Amino acid sequence: MLVEVSRLRDWFAGFNVMYFGGALPEPAFAVGRSRTRLGSLSWRYRRVLLSRRPYGYVIRVSNYYDLDERQLKSVLLHEMIHLYIVAEGLRDTSPHGVLFRRKMDAINADGWGISVSAKIKEAALGTGAAGKRRRVVLAVRMSDGRCLLSVVNPRYVGKIDSMVRRSADVAASAWYLSGDGYFVDFPAVRSPKGRVVPADVFGRLVGQMEPFVPGSAGVHI
C-alpha cells in the first residue's frame, strides 16, 4: 500500500498516546521514494544559553516498496523510538543500543515488527523473493494465556518440537507453513524462542496458515 502524510500523522497520534504517554513532540512528515531506507528521522539544533536543544523533527517514510499496513506502522514506530530518545535527551549506547532495544521489545510485545534497522535488505522485504518463501512457523499457547509465534530453522524443527511437547508451561502447540509477510522480520530460531502476539492476531494468522507435521516428507521450504 502507499502511505500518505495524513495517515502517518493519524498513526503517530495514536501510537504517541499508546506507547509514549503522549509526550512526543509532533514532527513534520514526508513521504519519499528511497530505495535504501524505509524510514528516517532528522532534526536540527538551536542553542539555548550554554546548551543545544533539538527541534524541527522530520519523519520520512519510503513508498518505493509495496509494504503492507503493519510493516509501515512498524517503520513509523521505529522512528518514533528514535524521536523519544532524542527529544528526552537520553544517551543510548549506540544508535540502536540498549535503550532503543528495550523500548522496541516492549512495543513488539503487542505484535509489531520493529527491527533494529530501517534499511532495505532484499532478503527482508515482503515483496522480495525471500519474503515470498514459505517459513516453518510454530504457534504456541502458554498456560498463562500468552500466544507466541516463532519462525523456526527447518533443521531444528524436531528438536524444538520435542522440547515444546515436554514443557509444562505450554498448553497447546501446532506447526504451520506460511509465506505471509507478517513473518518477514522474524529470525529463524534454533531454540524454543517466540514472539508474544495479541490473541486476535494469533488466531487470524493460524487460521490462514497451512498445517505442517514435523518429519513429513515432500515439504520444500
Side-chain angles (χ1 to χ4, degrees), residues 8-190:
L8 289 174
R9 188 176 293 112
D10 290 343
W11 290 348
F12 178 93
F15 290 148
N16 193 9
V17 173
M18 187 179 303
Y19 297 118
F20 301 92
L24 296 186
E26 182 172 338
F29 297 94
V31 175
R33 299 281 296 172
S34 173
R35 299 186 183 187
T36 59
R37 189 175 291 274
L38 294 175
S40 65
L41 170 71
S42 63
W43 65 92
R44 291 176 287 172
Y45 284 103
R46 60 185 165 206
R47 187 164 294 280
V48 179
L49 297 179
L50 299 178
S51 64
R52 294 193 309 162
R53 295 184 182 177
Y55 77 105
Y57 303 103
V58 180
I59 289 179
R60 293 177 175 84
V61 174
S62 176
N63 260 340
Y64 185 83
Y65 296 94
D66 185 17
L67 304 182
D68 60 30
E69 182 172 313
R70 174 184 172 277
Q71 291 170 318
L72 287 166
K73 286 181 175 179
S74 294
V75 170
L76 175 61
L77 284 165
H78 177 114
E79 303 310 330
M80 290 178 71
I81 297 175
H82 283 307
L83 176 57
Y84 162 73
I85 292 172
V86 174
E88 292 293 317
L90 304 176
R91 290 193 176 186
D92 208 347
T93 55
S94 67
H96 299 102
V98 173
L99 296 181
F100 184 95
R101 290 169 185 266
R102 184 181 300 153
K103 192 69 174 178
M104 178 187 74
D105 290 343
I107 298 175
N108 275 344
D110 278 350
W112 299 108
I114 311 167
S115 64
V116 296
S117 177
K119 293 182 179 179
I120 293 293
K121 292 182 179 179
E122 184 63 25
L125 290 175
T127 54
K132 293 182 180 299
R133 76 173 187 271
R134 293 194 299 173
R135 297 171 173 83
V136 179
V137 177
L138 173 61
V140 173
R141 288 187 184 273
M142 303 298 289
S143 300
D144 61 8
R146 290 178 300 153
C147 299
L148 286 77
L149 292 171
S150 303
V151 171
V152 177
N153 184 314
R155 295 182 180 181
Y156 293 82
V157 168
K159 172 186 174 182
I160 293 177
D161 184 58
S162 178
M163 296 173 70
V164 168
R165 288 179 181 275
R166 294 198 306 266
S167 175
D169 296 325
V170 174
S173 64
W175 292 88
Y176 300 91
L177 295 176
S178 176
D180 196 307
Y182 183 92
F183 299 105
V184 72
D185 65 342
F186 277 56
V189 301
R190 301 181 180 185

